[in-house]
Amino acid sequence: MSLPSDADLDALARALGQQLLQLRQMLVTAESCTGGWIAKCITDIPGSSAWFDCGMVAYSYEAKQALLGVRPQTLEQFGAVSRETVVEMVSGALVHSGATLAVAVTGIAGPGGGSEDKPVGSVWIGWKRRGGYARAELFRFEGDRDAVRRQTVVAALRGLQRQLGD
């Protein structure tokens, strides 16, 4: 498995930025397992303030509820790493920002924290356009913590590009 390099991440973020700029869209990120890495890739680009509104890093259940409006019942019933939670995260990111497009990620980057039904490398990513429906996808990434997080950033950015192409 060849991991994406920092240059790969930068190229993806720059291409996304061009799309957002051309379409006059603003992006918000809601990140758990990536700890702000998606927002970092975006804000490494000079001028990204023209297309990036804000990023929220919500690790704890309490932060997911307070910052993104994830319902306590959702977390209790399905857990933080679930379709239901990522859909509420991505929707909440749009509600709590001025953005028109959102991405949310929640997963188990490891090395611990995995279970039989949610092994290390399980990551849910959600995407949503303002006024549209959320789309969520489960990924099973391989590798150590850095590898899982790096692959999550790539999948999140590529998914945003697809959302803009729809």
Side-chain angles (χ1 to χ4, degrees):
M1 166 184 73
S2 172
L3 281 180
S5 67
D6 288 346
D8 296 330
L9 298 180
D10 184 68
L12 270 172
R14 286 179 184 276
L16 173 64
Q18 286 302 310
Q19 272 185 286
L20 287 161
L21 202 55
Q22 287 170 351
L23 296 170
R24 292 184 169 82
Q25 300 288 307
M26 290 292 283
L27 176 64
V28 59
T29 60
E31 302 181 66
S32 187
C33 63
T34 48
W37 201 340
I38 299 166
K40 182 216 180 295
C41 289
I42 288 164
T43 58
D44 280 350
I45 301 165
S48 57
S49 59
W51 49 273
F52 182 65
D53 184 50
C54 63
M56 295 168 236
V57 177
Y59 242 60
S60 69
Y61 276 25
E62 293 78 12
K64 285 177 177 67
Q65 293 170 44
L67 296 174
L68 299 167
V70 176
R71 296 177 312 126
Q73 305 91 308
T74 302
L75 293 165
E76 288 166 21
Q77 187 174 354
F78 302 104
V81 182
S82 65
R83 170 185 289 280
E84 293 79 6
T85 295
V86 85
V87 165
E88 290 186 20
M89 287 174 67
V90 77
S91 298
L94 283 171
V95 168
H96 294 94
S97 73
T100 54
L101 178 66
V103 63
V105 299
T106 183
I108 305 162
S115 64
E116 196 173 310
D117 61 327
K118 294 179 185 178
V120 169
S122 301
V123 178
W124 277 99
I125 304 179
W127 302 270
K128 185 175 180 180
R129 291 178 85 154
R130 188 171 294 282
Y133 293 101
R135 190 171 70 90
E137 189 175 342
L138 173 63
F139 294 84
R140 303 268 191 200
F141 296 123
E142 299 289 326
D144 63 10
R145 184 174 181 80
D146 184 72
V148 168
R149 290 166 49 133
R150 195 171 281 274
Q151 292 169 89
T152 300
V153 173
V154 168
L157 294 173
R158 286 187 176 146
L160 286 165
Q161 290 177 313
R162 281 194 305 276
Q163 283 288 114
L164 290 170
D166 290 350

